[in-house]
Amino acid sequence: MATDSAAIKKKLLTPFNIVVGIILVVGAILTVVRFTKGLAGVTNLSDNNPWGIWISFDLLCGVALAAGGFTTSAACYVFGLKRYHSAVRPAILTAFLGYSLVVFALHYDVGRPWRLPYPFFVQSGPTSVLFEVGLCVFLYLITLFIEWAPSALEWLGLKKPRNVIVRMTLALTIFGVVLSTMHQSSLGALYLIAPSKLHPLWYSMFLPLFFFVSAIVAGLSMVIFEGTLSHHYLHGKMDKTYLREHDGVTLGFAKGAAMVLVVYFFIKVIGLTMDNNWHYLLTGYGAWFLVELLGFVALPALLYALGVRERNLKLIRWTAVLTVLGIVLNRFNVSLVAFNWQLAPADRYFPSWMEIAISIFIVTVGLLVFRFISTHMPIFYEHPDFREHAPHEGEEEEAPELTEHELKPHPQTFGH
Amino acid sequence: MDTFYTLHDFLVYTKGAAYILMGVILLGILGFWLFITGRDEDTYIK
C-alpha cells in the first residue's frame, strides 16, 4: 500500500506537473486579486494605454493563431483538398480552444463576466467595429464548438447527433470562413480609428487586409507547428492515416504559407508606397519595421519556398516557428510598440509581471485542455465505429490506446 | 522627402509608384511560384 502511494506520488511529481501546478496556483491567486481589486490591482494599464498585453497577446495573437481552423477546413471541404482531411480535427480543436481562451482572457480585461451578453442582447452598438468583432467571435465560437462536437460525440458513443452534425460540415465550414474573414480583418480595422496614435509605418488604410492575410499565414503555420508538437508528444495516439498524411500536410501548407507570405510582403510594400512613408525607414522605428518585414515576413517566405522545393521538412518546421513569432511580433508592434509612439517614455506602457503571469496561466490552461481532449477523444485517429474510409492494408482496426508511458517525446520532431 | 502642395500631386505620385510596383509584384509572384513548383514535375516523372 505504502509502495503504491509512493509510486503514485512519484508519477505525479514530474517536472511538467510541478511547473504546471505552480502556474495554476499563481494564476488562481492573481485571478482572485484581479476580480477583487480591479484592473489597478494587477495591471499597468492607464488612460493613455487602456489596452495592454491581454489584448495584444491573448486576443490579437490568440485570434490570429487560431486561424488554422478555418484555413484547414476551407482547404479540405471548400477547395476539395481531401488529402488534408486528417489535419482538420486537430486544427478545429486548436481553433476552438484558441477562441475559448480569447473569450476567457477577455473577462480579465472587461471584468463583470455576467455582463458578457449585454453588447448583443441588451445594449448593442451595431455601428461599432468592436461590436462586429464581438458578434463574429461569439458566432464563430459556437460554430467551432459544433464543428468540434463530433469528436466528443464519438467519444461518448452518441451516433445520431454525431451524424446530424457531420452532415452540416460544409455549411459550418462556409459560415466559419465568412465569420473569420469578417472579424480577422475587423481586428485590424479597430486601429483605423487611431491614426494619430499608431506610428505611420504600421498605420495604413490596408490594416484590415494586413490582419486578414497575415491571419491566413498564422493559421497555416500554426497547423504545421501544432502538428509537429503533437507528432512529438502524442505520437502514440495517431493512426496510420494521420501519420501517412502528416508530411503531405506539412509540405502542402508550407507551399500555401509561402505564397500567402509573399503576397503579404508585397501588400505591405504597397501600403508603404500609397502613404509615401519611405522616409520613416531611416529612423529607429524604421529599422524595427524592417526587422519585422524582412526578418519575419520575407525571410520565412523564402525559407518556406526553399523547404518545399528541397522537400526539407526540418526547415519547414523551423520556418513555421519563425512565422508564428513574426505574427506575434506584428500584433505586438501594432497594439503596443508602435502605439502611442509619440508619448514620453515615462507614459509608455509595459506590462506588470502579474499581467504576464495571467497570460501564461491562460495558455497553460489551454495546453492542459488540449492534452486532455487529444488523449481521450478521436482527434488524431478515426474512431473505429465511425470510419469514413476503409482501413488501409496493414492498418490496425482498433484506435491506438495511449498510456502515460506512451506520452514520452517522439525523437523525430524538428530533426527529421 | 518629396514636397507635395496639393492632394492631387500626392495621389499622382503615390498611385503612379503603386501602379509600377504592381507590375513588378505580378512578375515577382510569378517568379516565386515557378521557384516553389520548379521541382514538382520531377515527382510526377518518377
Side-chain angles (χ1 to χ4, degrees):
Chain A
M1 198 70 179
T3 321
D4 283 352
S5 64
I8 291 168
K9 201 173 174 183
K10 194 180 174 187
K11 202 174 169 185
L12 284 176
L13 289 177
T14 61
F16 176 81
N17 286 355
I18 293 169
V19 173
V20 165
I22 292 169
I23 292 172
L24 293 183
V25 170
V26 172
I29 293 167
L30 291 176
T31 301
V32 173
V33 177
R34 156 66 187 96
F35 286 98
T36 52
K37 306 277 184 193
L39 284 172
V42 287
T43 74
N44 283 343
L45 297 175
S46 64
D47 287 344
N48 275 330
N49 304 285
W51 285 1
I53 194 176
W54 292 339
I55 295 296
S56 302
F57 181 71
D58 301 359
L59 199 143
L60 294 180
C61 295
V63 167
L65 299 178
F70 90 89
T71 46
T72 312
S73 54
C76 183
Y77 299 120
V78 178
F79 297 110
L81 302 170
K82 297 291 180 191
R83 60 183 180 275
Y84 302 139
H85 187 261
S86 61
V88 172
R89 280 199 177 181
I92 291 289
L93 174 62
T94 310
F96 172 55
L97 291 178
Y99 276 87
S100 303
L101 294 175
V102 163
V103 176
F104 181 55
L106 200 61
H107 282 106
Y108 285 86
D109 228 321
V110 295
R112 294 199 267 186
W114 58 92
R115 287 209 168 197
L116 199 65
Y118 268 49
F120 314 116
F121 303 114
V122 183
Q123 280 182 311
S124 54
T127 54
S128 159
V129 177
L130 200 55
F131 170 78
E132 194 233 317
V133 172
L135 190 61
C136 281
V137 170
F138 168 59
L139 292 174
Y140 189 46
L141 185 55
I142 295 170
T143 308
L144 282 170
F145 174 74
I146 301 171
E147 283 185 289
W148 164 77
S151 317
L153 294 170
E154 286 175 14
W155 180 53
L156 296 168
L158 300 170
K159 280 191 179 181
K160 276 189 180 176
R162 180 262 181 201
N163 292 340
V164 171
I165 292 174
V166 166
R167 278 197 288 273
M168 293 159 57
T169 300
L170 183 62
L172 288 168
T173 303
I174 294 169
F175 194 47
V177 171
V178 171
L179 290 171
S180 295
T181 309
M182 289 168 74
H183 74 266
Q184 293 282 4
S185 56
S186 296
L187 281 173
L190 281 176
Y191 289 88
L192 289 179
I193 204 171
S196 58
K197 292 187 176 181
L198 188 55
H199 190 282
L201 282 173
W202 281 273
Y203 185 88
S204 165
M205 58 185 159
F206 298 127
L207 262 177
L209 191 62
F210 293 163
F211 267 56
F212 176 63
V213 176
S214 59
I216 295 175
V217 176
L220 294 170
S221 301
M222 268 304 281
V223 171
I224 298 172
F225 179 58
E226 174 266 317
T228 306
L229 290 183
S230 301
H231 201 74
H232 188 72
Y233 291 105
L234 299 166
H235 190 78
K237 202 64 182 170
M238 294 166 177
D239 64 9
K240 288 189 176 173
T241 309
Y242 183 91
L243 293 171
R244 195 179 51 247
E245 291 180 2
H246 182 69
D247 289 351
V249 169
T250 306
L251 280 169
F253 276 44
K255 187 187 275 186
M259 286 311 295
V260 184
L261 262 171
V262 87
V263 168
Y264 178 56
F265 173 79
F266 281 133
I267 60 170
K268 288 281 275 187
V269 176
I270 290 264
L272 211 57
T273 309
M274 291 296 280
D275 292 332
N276 197 33
N277 281 333
W278 296 98
H279 57 283
Y280 284 110
L281 293 180
L282 300 174
T283 63
Y285 274 100
W288 187 235
F289 181 81
L290 286 175
V291 167
E292 182 195 318
L293 191 65
L294 299 178
F296 291 91
V297 181
L299 182 64
L302 195 64
L303 294 177
Y304 266 139
L306 277 172
V308 171
R309 201 177 147 85
E310 307 288 335
R311 301 284 187 272
N312 188 338
L313 295 172
K314 185 182 173 185
L315 179 63
I316 289 173
R317 286 168 187 151
W318 280 111
T319 308
V321 177
L322 182 69
T323 311
V324 167
L325 287 176
I327 300 298
V328 172
L329 179 69
N330 172 257
R331 299 306 192 259
F332 269 68
N333 280 341
V334 171
S335 59
L336 290 180
V337 179
F339 198 78
N340 278 333
W341 63 287
Q342 73 284 50
L343 286 184
D347 295 328
R348 297 297 304 273
Y349 164 84
F350 192 83
S352 72
W353 72 268
M354 289 179 280
E355 288 175 85
I356 297 169
I358 285 176
S359 287
I360 293 171
F361 165 68
I362 289 167
V363 172
T364 307
V365 169
L367 283 175
L368 288 177
V369 178
F370 182 89
R371 188 171 179 261
F372 175 81
I373 292 176
S374 54
T375 51
H376 287 80
M377 297 178 195
I379 300 296
F380 295 105
Y381 64 90
E382 283 190 290
H383 195 290
D385 297 342
F386 299 90
R387 275 188 194 278
E388 288 178 20
H389 312 290
H392 291 260
E393 201 178 331
E395 196 167 300
E396 71 270 24
E397 282 286 343
E398 295 299 318
E401 287 299 323
L402 192 72
T403 62
E404 280 297 317
H405 301 291
E406 285 173 309
L407 279 171
K408 63 180 181 287
H410 188 261
Q412 276 187 349
T413 309
F414 289 102
H416 182 50
Chain B
M1 186 183 168
D2 309 287
T3 308
F4 301 104
Y5 295 103
T6 65
L7 179 63
H8 181 260
D9 281 353
F10 179 77
L11 290 177
V12 166
Y13 179 84
T14 54
K15 283 205 167 187
Y19 285 136
I20 294 167
L21 198 59
M22 281 174 192
V24 174
I25 288 171
L26 206 63
L27 292 174
I29 288 180
L30 187 66
F32 193 72
W33 174 253
L34 290 174
F35 176 72
I36 287 185
T37 57
R39 296 197 181 162
D40 281 7
E41 286 81 5
D42 298 349
T43 316
Y44 293 116
I45 290 166
K46 280 172 191 171

